[in-house]
Each structure stands twice: as structure tokens, then as C-alpha cells.
Amino acid sequence: MKKATYHLWTFTISKIISLLGTNVLTFGISLYILKMTGSATSFAINLICSILPRVILSSIAGSLADRYSKKVIILTSQAVTVLLMGGLLIYGYTSGITVTSIYVVTALYAITSTFNSVTFSSSIACLVNEERIQKAMSFNQMSMSIAQIGGPAIGGMMYGFVSIEVFLMVHMVAYLLAFLLEATMDFKLYSKKGDEMEAETGMFQSLKEGFQYAKAKKSVSTILLVALWINFFFSALSVGGTFILVEVLKIKSQHIGVIESAGAVGMLIASIFLSTRKQTKYPLLQSKRFILLMAFTLGLMAIPLWIAFTYSVNVTFYIMIFFSFSVFGVFVNTPIGVMMQTEVEESYRGRVFGILEAMAMGMMPLGTMIFGILFDYVEPQWILLGSCIALLAITSYMMRSSVVKQIYPELTDAKTDLKEKVQHT
């Protein structure tokens, strides 16, 4: 139990360092690219270099996590990240940092972080006992919110006060610290697998088996399909949110920062709350309810576009919207994460998490592109309302009562028992 407690806090600290580093790096590098080129296209290319490797390699990373030592993969990815920062630092001192060198390092960093995040996600149930999985998933969400709050703030401050060389040096030290913390963890503490490597099966066959497993297990296939559509339609918020605030409602930049920070604060509060609660008995059912609330909240965003409010009311309204959206998101993601840790067999867990990340990341650029075009030609309130209705319909169908009862047959038994008791009385 002491080791599990140690893992819980070491995992959280390591995640905060890594995620904070990622957010600071992404924000700071973006500013440096814009300063060097003044081109939005260069910014977009760097974004593609960050996303594309994740989409392509997530499933492969998951397969390797199932076949080989998770600790070796995690430590290797962290070590390569330290070397990448050091390599770019040395290159900067000798030849001067160029946009091309940043693109290359961004792509390579995306590769290492993909192997790290997928393997770490599939390792949680091996690091802590089952009773602490929800707490671990909540701490993971908390780490993300801290990174979202602190990343832009630290990145902006470092961009304003230090050179890119110092910027890279700080990151190298941070990732080295994460490496040292992760080196002390026992990734087989609660493992149910043997020591042998499952390397006999070829990579292609391993990936195929992972997809077959995900398709055959109803709870997993439902989560994957719903996650696919959630990431697509919620791109309407990531694209349209800033567009509506800036272009339509003319909200000042400092107030936009407050509105967006409300989302990170909501995530932090919800994560802390869930870390103190017992694991829900029916995680998929809870997630369904909060996905519907998220879809409804997306539709509510259109109200100020139909009804004229004062400036202060608009700011307050969207603070509440972003806060609520993030709270509901944590109440969706945490139980789903717990369900994936407890219901997916350990030998398939890496591949399933890899497939989930690939599908989620793959829909983000597609959704961003489609909604980016739509917001140029269609009034935003109709896009928000349409996305809300589509998501309500898709979620209600994919997670309909018959599907939920198929995953949780005890719900049907409980209702039958209740009816029999009522009839007898």
C-alpha cells in the first residue's frame, strides 16, 4: 500500500512536470516561430508536426507497450526528449536555431511524447491498486488543468525574459527530473502478466488483434465511437469559441484570458472533487449523462448571439459556460478512464489506449478544418445549435438504454427485482 501511495504522488508530480513542460514548450515555441517568420503558415506547419506523429504512431506505441517493458519505453522516451532539447540547444549555439530545426525537433518530440503518454496511460492499473484508480485518473486530470493554467503564463513570461537557449535548457532539466522520478517506479507492482515479452506476434498482427479486441468488447467499442464524435463536434468550441468572443462579441483580450482560464479552473476543481469520491459503479452511464450536459452547454453558447446582452453579462455568461463545460468534461473523462483501466485486459490495454488517442487526435485537425470553414460562411449560432443537436442524437443512440444494459446486465436485474417488490406490496 505504501508503494501504491508513493506511485500515486510520484505519477502526479511527474505528469505535472511533463505536461507543464509540453504546454510551456508549445506556447513558447509558437511565439518564437511567429517572431522569426511572422507567418501564420509557419505556425500551422509546426502544429501539424506536433499532431501528425501522434495520429500515426499512437497505435504502434500501444502495441509496443503491450509487448515490451513499459518502464523501459517510458524512460527511453523521456531520455530521448532530454537529448532532443540538448541537441537543439547545442545546434543553436553552433549554427543558430532555424525554423526547420524547430520543425524537426517538434516532430521528434511529438513521437517521444506519444510513446510516453500512451504507455503511461496503460500503466496506471499496474502502478496503483484498483481502489485508487479513480484517484489516479483524477490526479491525471488535475495535472492537465495545472498545465493548462500555468503553461501559457510560464511560456509567455519565459518568452519575454529569456532567450530560446535558456528556454530549452530549463526544459531539459525539467524532463531529466521527470526521468529520475519515473526511474524509481515499479511498473509491475499490480501487473497480472508474467515477465515474458509477447514479441512472437508480428507488429501488424498485434495491431489487428488490438482492433479486433476493441471491436468485440462492447464497452470499449462504445467508448471509442463516442470519443470519435465528441472530439469532432467539440472542435466547434475550440474553433468557434475564440471566433465568437473576438469577432462577434468584441470581448477584450484580457477578458478572453479570464474566460479561458475559467475552463482550466473548472477542470482543477472537478478533479480534486472526484479524487475524494468512491469509484462509480456504472462509469459509462455517468459519462453518458455528462456528455449530454456538455452538448447542451455547447448549445447554450449561442444564446448571446440571439439575445443582446451587456458586455459584462456576456463575459460572465461565457465564464460560466467554459467553467461548466470543463467540469462536465472531467466527469466524462475520469469514469471512462477508470473503466478502461479496470475492464480492458492488461495484455490489450496499451493497444486500446493507443487506438483511443489516435482516433481522438485524428478527429481534432479534421474537425478544426471543417468548422474553420463553416464559421467563415455560416452564422455561428446555427453551427453551435447544429453541433449540439447532432451530439445529443449521436450520444443518445450510441449509448442508448439497450447498449448500457448489455454492458451492465445487473441494471436490468435490479429493475426486475424492483418491479417484483412493487407487485408484491
Side-chain angles (χ1 to χ4, degrees), residues 110-170:
I111 292 170
T112 59
S113 63
T114 298
F115 280 87
N116 186 281
S117 63
V118 170
T119 308
F120 230 135
S121 295
S122 66
S123 302
I124 292 174
C126 299
L127 293 169
V128 298
N129 53 324
E130 191 168 328
E131 292 75 22
R132 301 189 191 198
I133 289 177
Q134 177 161 304
K135 182 169 284 191
M137 299 305 295
S138 298
F139 281 7
N140 187 42
Q141 291 282 318
M142 185 172 67
S143 303
M144 291 170 63
S145 64
I146 291 171
Q148 286 182 12
I149 295 169
I154 297 172
M157 183 177 66
M158 291 180 69
Y159 171 79
F161 291 102
V162 303
S163 66
I164 191 169
E165 287 80 11
V166 175
F167 186 84
L168 292 171
M169 197 177 296
V170 170

Side-chain angles (χ1 to χ4, degrees), residues 18-145:
S18 297
L19 291 171
L20 194 58
T22 300
N23 278 266
V24 171
L25 186 68
T26 302
F27 188 84
I29 288 294
S30 299
L31 292 178
Y32 280 113
I33 287 176
L34 288 173
K35 181 182 178 181
M36 293 167 70
T37 65
S39 168
T41 303
S42 299
F43 178 82
I45 291 172
N46 194 60
L47 192 64
I48 291 169
C49 290
S50 178
I51 293 175
L52 200 57
R54 293 179 181 273
V55 177
I56 297 171
L57 296 173
S58 290
S59 297
I60 295 173
S63 178
L64 292 177
D66 286 337
R67 289 150 60 90
Y68 300 105
S69 167
K70 290 179 172 62
K71 185 170 185 175
V72 170
I73 294 172
I74 289 170
L75 293 181
T76 302
S77 63
Q78 286 287 31
V80 173
T81 300
V82 174
L83 293 175
L84 282 173
M85 296 298 113
L88 185 57
L89 182 64
I90 294 169
Y91 182 82
Y93 278 120
T94 56
S95 306
I97 292 175
T98 61
V99 175
T100 303
S101 65
I102 291 176
Y103 290 160
V104 172
V105 170
T106 299
L108 292 174
Y109 173 69
I111 292 170
T112 59
S113 63
T114 298
F115 280 87
N116 186 281
S117 63
V118 170
T119 308
F120 230 135
S121 295
S122 66
S123 302
I124 292 174
C126 299
L127 293 169
V128 298
N129 53 324
E130 191 168 328
E131 292 75 22
R132 301 189 191 198
I133 289 177
Q134 177 161 304
K135 182 169 284 191
M137 299 305 295
S138 298
F139 281 7
N140 187 42
Q141 291 282 318
M142 185 172 67
S143 303
M144 291 170 63
S145 64

